[in-house]
Amino acid sequence: MLLPNILLTGTPGVGKTTLGKELASGSGLKYINVGDLAQEGQLYDGYDEEYDCPILDEDRVVDELENQMSKGGVIVDYHGCDFFPEHWFHIVFVLQADNSVLYKRLETRGYNEKKLKDNIQCEIFQVLYEEALASYKEEIVHQLPSNKPEDPEDNINQILKWIEQWVKDHSS
Ligand code: DAT
């Protein structure tokens, strides 16, 4: 059976991991967190002192994922989306959280002042939504609210319906 590939993107802290893991268990698709994948394989290209984090080696990440993506049935989670091959994804979800909600979540993570401010600005200016629209066909890019504890369940129900329809449309 053919299964679609799904991209979950958005500012750090919007709830991609929470949604991605629950969606994987509800759908049977495989969840891949690009941050974790990079850490496991040390897929880095230097260190960003300002943001206090390693710099992702995007080419090596793409090479690492290519095989699985070509088979289908993968949920990819990352706070960036312009370096993945466009043809990988059948649908793209950009999660969004209100600034006050996001601020609290990032504060809990212990982000430094600059990282906090920049991520909140990233959300205010819808940077990831713009990046998704610039990287994928507009009709496959959707925004999802991610503020309240009940949001993941609502989002998952919608996505499960979409997966079911996609599978029907691609079986024969
Ligand atoms: P991301 O993977 O986008 O960085 P996350 O899934 O790790 O985000 O979530 C960040 C924090 O927010 C984590 O403590 C779980 C919480 N969270 C995620 N989605 C939520 C929601 N819809 N309502 C309330 N809290 C949520």
Side-chain angles (χ1 to χ4, degrees):
M1 182 172 72
L2 268 181
L3 288 169
N5 290 324
I6 297 174
L7 175 62
L8 300 179
T9 190
T11 309
V14 285
K16 302 180 293 298
T17 307
T18 307
L19 179 69
K21 286 183 175 169
E22 286 183 33
L23 179 61
S25 63
S27 65
L29 269 65
K30 183 178 180 182
Y31 169 77
I32 296 180
N33 182 308
V34 170
D36 292 347
L37 179 88
Q39 195 180 15
E40 281 156 22
Q42 289 296 295
L43 308 175
Y44 299 133
D45 183 18
Y47 196 84
D48 186 327
E49 298 294 340
E50 193 179 25
Y51 288 103
D52 192 23
C53 63
I55 298 164
L56 196 72
D57 187 330
E58 298 174 346
D59 291 342
R60 283 176 66 208
V61 167
V62 169
D63 288 349
E64 185 74 28
L65 286 174
E66 181 62 55
N67 198 24
Q68 299 185 76
M69 299 308 292
S70 65
K71 291 182 184 135
V74 182
I75 301 164
V76 172
D77 160 354
Y78 194 58
H79 57 266
C81 62
D82 61 357
F83 64 93
F84 301 119
E86 187 187 349
H87 70 267
W88 274 5
F89 297 106
H90 303 97
I91 197 156
V92 175
F93 294 106
V94 185
L95 274 69
Q96 292 179 317
D98 294 343
N99 302 325
S100 53
V101 171
L102 187 63
Y103 191 93
K104 284 198 197 104
R105 290 184 195 163
L106 295 180
E107 214 176 20
T108 310
R109 278 189 182 173
Y111 277 16
N112 68 37
E113 202 54 40
K114 172 157 178 60
K115 204 165 164 177
L116 239 164
K117 200 176 125 218
D118 287 357
N119 277 298
I120 295 296
Q121 275 193 359
C122 174
E123 188 64 5
I124 292 172
F125 292 113
Q126 301 201 308
V127 172
L128 266 307
Y129 183 52
E130 295 296 331
E131 188 174 316
L133 288 176
S135 309
Y136 303 91
K137 288 201 184 87
E138 203 179 324
E139 58 267 29
I140 72 157
V141 177
H142 304 273
Q143 294 174 284
L144 288 178
S146 182
N147 294 302
K148 304 185 292 297
E150 58 270 32
D151 284 339
E153 197 184 333
D154 293 346
N155 291 333
I156 285 166
N157 288 336
Q158 280 187 52
I159 300 172
L160 288 178
K161 277 190 202 138
W162 176 86
I163 294 173
E164 200 183 329
Q165 189 59 47
W166 190 95
V167 170
K168 267 189 205 154
D169 293 346
H170 292 81
S171 64
S172 65

